[in-house]
Amino acid sequence: MGGPESAASGTEEGDDDALFVLTAALLTPARFPSVLGDDYPAACAALRLEPYAEGYGLVLGQDGTGARWTVVVDDVSLVAVAIASWDCGMEYDLSPDERSVVSALPGWPLAVATSAPGLPAPHDPVPEAGDLAPLSPPDGAAWGPAQRRLGADMVALQWSEWRARMGDDTAGNGQGQGTAAGGGAGAGDGAGAAADGGAGNGAGAAADGGPDTPESGRPDPYDGVRRALKELGEYVVQAPPVGRVRSSFAGDEARMLRADGPGWSLVARTDDMAFVLLDDEPHEVLPVTRGPKLPALLEALDAMAVRPS
């Protein structure tokens, strides 16, 4: 099978090529599944797509045999309206026109908890000669770049809960306790020292040398935090690939920043502190307190970040 011929919200009996739509996602410079890459071009490359500025919509569903397919469409507005409607608890019949279909890829890059009623259980389609390997979500039991980025997404979604763990005294004094890691991929034990956010001058962060300082001989996780802050400062001087830094509305005139780089991810509110996740620190969420330097860095990053239109 070369892929579904059309995308529709239901299937017709005996029509194996129709697609029963289960969910959808945007693939644009400002909003893309971070599981696919650190930036928009990398996310597109993971799906063998050109990184067009207009972006794409990803429609995930099952064909008439129950096989998983990801249909890429260029009608971004249609997919955006569907997602917004679903987020508001409203029904929306997402049925992209065949002419908008860019490609049909076997498998799903994201975990989908639902399945189409009346169809066999979701499974990968039978490959034909020359077919790509089916897409699949990352292993939740493992830890790597994809899990690290998903963990940062989860911290952004649950900002209030993560912020509450830090207490009110960490907003400006550069101190504060570390926090056990979650990151959406399991929980870690232990805590890390809070760090004062370094500015974009390559100075890095000054780690709190309190009781949470790593034992002798164990690498300091805040070496990775300092490297992330240094690279973020370099982003301000020389723009990274589009999508490496993204800004979204966070309420109270603040913005939520999501930034990624080789081996690290950052989540921050422009009016508050930040959290960093590292490839080298599985399941750990490391706080970066506001201090004297972080506000200027976050402001500069927000000024150059891509935003949803």
Side-chain angles (χ1 to χ4, degrees):
M1 175 181 292
E5 294 178 353
S6 62
S9 290
T11 60
E12 299 178 5
E13 186 175 356
D15 185 359
D16 290 348
D17 286 338
L19 189 76
F20 194 107
V21 176
L22 297 177
T23 190
L26 292 179
L27 178 60
T28 68
R31 185 177 176 185
F32 56 87
S34 63
V35 66
L36 297 175
D38 284 332
D39 49 60
Y40 176 62
C44 288
L47 302 180
R48 298 196 177 186
L49 299 170
E50 292 294 326
Y52 294 127
E54 295 78 9
Y56 306 91
L58 305 179
V59 181
L60 281 62
Q62 294 176 261
D63 66 17
T65 71
R68 306 180 186 96
W69 289 93
T70 298
V71 176
V72 182
V73 300
D74 58 17
D75 194 342
V76 178
S77 297
L78 177 66
V79 176
V81 169
I83 294 172
S85 299
W86 297 335
D87 287 345
C88 293
M90 301 169 58
E91 292 186 3
Y92 189 89
D93 181 7
L94 176 55
S95 301
D97 189 281
E98 286 186 40
R99 292 171 294 182
S100 71
V101 174
V102 176
S103 64
L105 305 172
W108 295 333
L110 310 173
V112 179
T114 59
S115 60
L119 294 179
H123 60 274
D124 291 333
V126 178
E128 295 181 352
D131 282 355
L132 298 174
L135 301 171
S136 62
D139 182 357
W143 183 261
Q147 292 85 353
R148 176 249 303 164
R149 292 188 296 264
L150 287 174
D153 290 345
M154 189 61 64
V155 172
L157 287 172
Q158 300 175 349
W159 176 267
S160 296
E161 297 177 26
W162 283 97
R163 186 61 182 85
R165 301 185 187 193
M166 296 300 299
D168 294 333
D169 60 344
T170 60
N173 64 5
Q175 304 296 314
Q177 292 296 311
T179 179
D189 298 322
D196 171 21
N201 58 5
D208 175 16
D212 292 319
T213 300
E215 298 176 0
S216 176
R218 178 187 171 190
D220 184 352
Y222 275 89
D223 287 344
V225 174
R226 296 183 188 95
R227 178 174 60 85
L229 294 174
K230 179 178 183 296
E231 292 180 11
L232 282 165
E234 293 169 354
Y235 284 1
V236 176
V237 177
Q238 183 172 354
V242 64
R244 282 282 178 97
V245 183
R246 306 179 297 284
S247 174
S248 60
F249 179 69
D252 298 328
E253 299 184 357
R255 305 289 298 182
M256 184 71 72
L257 295 178
R258 269 287 285 111
D260 298 290
W264 57 265
S265 292
L266 175 135
V267 187
R269 271 184 61 124
T270 53
D271 63 346
D272 201 357
M273 59 180 296
F275 295 98
V276 173
L277 289 82
L278 304 171
D279 283 355
D280 293 338
E281 295 294 325
H283 312 300
E284 293 291 334
V285 180
L286 303 168
V288 180
T289 56
R290 191 159 177 83
K293 300 177 180 178
L294 188 64
L297 176 60
L298 297 182
E299 181 179 353
L301 290 170
D302 185 53
M304 54 83 65
V306 290
R307 304 185 177 202
S309 56

